[in-house]
Amino acid sequence: MFDSPVFNWMSSALEDVTPWNAQSARGTVRLALKKAGLDARSVNKLEMVVVVDRLLERELAVRGIEDAATVCRDLRSRLEAESFGGSAPGPARPEDVFSRLLGTPTRSASDRGPEPLRR
Amino acid sequence: MNILTAIGAVLFTAACLTVGLRLLFLARRTGQLPELLIGFSFLTGGVMSYVLAGVFAYFEVPAVWAPVLGTVGRLVYIGPPVAMAIVAWRVFRQDRPWAGLAVGSLMTLNLLYVLRPFLIGNLLRRELVGNPLYWISTAAQILPWLWVAIESFLLYQQLRKRARLGLAEDPALAYRMLMWTIGLGTLVLLAISMEATSLAAVLGLPHIPMNPIIIVLGLTCAISLWLAFFPPKAFLGRFEQGVSRET
């Protein structure tokens, strides 16, 4: 299974705005996603926005990127403007399967998005 | 103690029966494989195998039918671990070739359990536990449940992290996954305890009292599965408050 277009886009954008190579940029995004409990293969745009807002700045700062806040603001605005098109529905995620099994409300992958942020 | 043990065993069986039936009814409605396989596993592993074992123990089986019924019983017995191995692969690791290989290996080893009497003969229990084939096939029956329990725990951790960031569709799902994981974990512990008790008896080691183990694990399993599948509103409310406090 391949990484999601959102993950690939973000890694590439991070590579552009930092002195890092592709491997470092992808590794950093992957690490931020892991801390958010998300997967590079299925992350969507709305989830990535939350990761950029809440986790990426710290990941960049600890890796020596100066003015990480500005970099994240720039990445966020570019990400919001980006359109990733309608991707074909992928295989069911384990959480979707267990939502169904345990009888909890669920939404489809296309309209899955974050709840209002709580800080 | 005997009454408590009986209560623990009855609650455990009732939990498996309820979860099994609920998932099988769901599978009938959705036509999806995970609910069919897990429902079948709980119903067969937690209820039917005990019922069949009781029936075989109560009624005398004619000698001529014994090998046939024994083989049928063994095929029923390996159904749940094989089904759970497929669940682990198709739900959690469907894009991982190693998971497919693991399922193939587990199926082969479970088949060895069916063929075991033809390979090593009908040995007495104390002779059987000295044979590596016994432990290989026993491990193959427990490992799929353990695999699903570990994957469920990893998913619980992921869901909890998402809930902290406000990314959860249903914050209570994380805690219901935790209850499901504990329920599965107690099933694994129960199976391991039973094997450990048999081994201790055969090796002449001090007797491991099974009654307290059945009471504790049976009750824990029943309560956890009930909270996972039928959580009271107050319980869900507490979880959601917990998530709010964490964020």
Side-chain angles (χ1 to χ4, degrees), chain B residues 53-62:
Chain B
V55 168
F56 283 137
Y58 189 76
F59 295 104
E60 279 220 1
V61 178

Side-chain angles (χ1 to χ4, degrees), chain A residues 1-50:
Chain A
M1 198 180 186
F2 300 105
D3 292 324
S4 80
V6 177
F7 172 79
N8 288 332
W9 182 91
M10 177 53 70
S11 302
S12 177
L14 190 59
E15 190 187 344
D16 290 344
V17 297
T18 60
W20 293 341
N21 60 18
Q23 200 179 3
S24 301
R26 290 177 79 83
T28 302
V29 177
R30 213 178 279 279
L31 207 64
L33 289 178
K34 195 177 176 191
K35 287 185 178 173
L38 296 167
D39 193 330
R41 291 165 298 176
S42 57
V43 64
N44 63 30
K45 182 174 155 179
L46 292 167
E47 289 167 340
M48 188 62 91
V49 167
V50 176

